[in-house]
Amino acid sequence: MAAEEVAMKRLQGKVAIITGGARGMGAATARLFVEHGACVVIADVLDAEGERLAAELGQAARFVHHDVTDEAGWQRLLAQTAQAFAPVDVLVNNAGVLLFKTIADTSKAEFERILAVNLVGCFFGTKLAGAQMVARGRGSIINVSSVDGMKGANGLGAYSASKWAVRGFTKVAAMEFGHKGVRVNSVHPGGIDTAMGNPYAEPKAEVNKRYTMVPLQRVGEPLEVAYVNLFLASDESSYLCGAEIAVDGGMLTGQYYAGFPGAPGV
């Protein structure tokens, strides 16, 4: 292998666990991590999709059926990771679920389910994988929050609550783990063209019509989030801890109004 090819492998020798890794942003991250030299465990409840992806990626990947709300399941996942490859170096807490309902229409059970997957799952992963990383004096934990963890959105009470909590939890974890060699950061995707963000698989041109008030004027791609995860997983981000990175096409900068100065054609 040529020297320049080796240099391009930004995660050479690292072992990563990606929850919600069977599709969408998780699958894009798994592919990119393997491309850059990592061994990857794809953790998900979507067995068929996860098995297909692991087969596609070859010997550098394994699929493990995993429910992020199961604490004992996390212990098994970490043991299986170490047995297949080595102890975990990178954890991407990517698994998440969405609920579109007003607060008035949301039941206690629905609210608690969103918190269980999006927040408690992140807590278990950070606590248990983080403990292994702390014992070895190194590691990177990437908690996937959302732009809705940095703003409000009507109809997303449970989801926003969970993602704001992930954001705050990441700050505390960064303070507690950072001085022990483990970096913890959060990623905040905006609208991304995934099964969650585009559940009816509409053509990209149609989806983009809903993004006219976003500066980049389009929906994001899973790979665009994956590249941010790659940066945070790599040693290139060695001085980032407690950071929050919005991958949102500029959504959080404010609303873009067509017809105002600076708009196309004006």
Side-chain angles (χ1 to χ4, degrees):
M1 184 180 293
E4 59 270 20
E5 292 181 83
V6 174
M8 288 178 63
K9 292 188 177 293
R10 298 158 67 184
L11 300 182
Q12 193 68 48
K14 294 186 186 294
V15 175
I17 294 173
I18 303 168
T19 68
R23 67 182 184 184
M25 296 183 297
T29 299
R31 290 188 179 98
L32 192 62
F33 278 19
V34 168
E35 180 184 332
H36 281 270
C39 292
V40 172
V41 173
I42 301 157
D44 210 311
V45 295
L46 301 175
D47 294 344
E49 292 95 327
E51 293 285 5
R52 278 198 301 270
L53 179 59
E56 171 195 326
L57 296 178
Q59 291 302 307
R62 299 285 189 279
F63 171 72
V64 174
H65 179 92
H66 177 57
D67 175 356
V68 295
T69 69
D70 179 4
E71 185 171 9
W74 273 101
Q75 298 284 17
R76 291 192 296 272
L77 174 64
L78 291 165
Q80 288 171 290
T81 299
Q83 182 177 19
F85 299 119
V88 63
D89 299 295
V90 178
L91 170 64
V92 184
N93 279 314
N94 171 74
V97 289
L98 181 65
L99 178 69
F100 278 113
K101 277 195 176 182
T102 64
I103 293 170
D105 290 335
T106 301
S107 69
K108 178 175 181 285
E110 288 171 327
F111 194 86
E112 289 178 340
R113 176 177 178 267
I114 298 298
L115 292 181
V117 176
N118 295 359
L119 177 59
V120 178
C122 179
F123 160 71
F124 283 149
T126 301
K127 176 183 178 179
L128 299 174
Q132 290 193 2
M133 294 177 187
V134 165
R136 298 167 67 216
R138 66 181 187 275
S140 174
I141 298 173
I142 302 160
N143 292 330
V144 180
S145 177
S146 168
V147 289
D148 294 307
M150 303 178 82
K151 65 176 183 62
N154 55 297
L156 290 178
Y159 183 77
S160 290
S162 71
K163 293 302 188 178
W164 274 87
V166 167
R167 180 187 181 193
F169 175 73
T170 299
K171 302 292 190 193
V172 177
M175 295 173 71
E176 295 186 1
F177 292 176
H179 61 284
K180 299 176 181 179
V182 180
R183 299 180 296 105
V184 190
N185 297 285
S186 60
V187 174
H188 299 257
I192 307 297
D193 192 17
T194 63
M196 181 184 288
N198 182 13
Y200 302 109
E202 295 178 85
K204 200 72 58 68
E206 288 301 310
V207 177
N208 287 343
K209 291 176 182 178
R210 297 195 290 274
Y211 286 82
T212 57
M213 299 183 83
V214 175
L216 289 190
Q217 303 273 290
R218 64 173 178 83
V219 70
E221 299 292 340
L223 186 59
E224 293 177 303
V225 179
Y227 269 110
V228 175
N229 291 337
L230 174 65
F231 170 64
L232 291 174
S234 77
D235 295 338
E236 297 163 15
S237 58
S238 58
Y239 203 53
L240 265 71
C241 192
E244 49 194 37
I245 302 178
V247 191
D248 66 348
M251 183 183 294
L252 291 173
T253 64
Q255 293 184 334
Y256 179 85
Y257 294 101
F260 277 31
V266 177

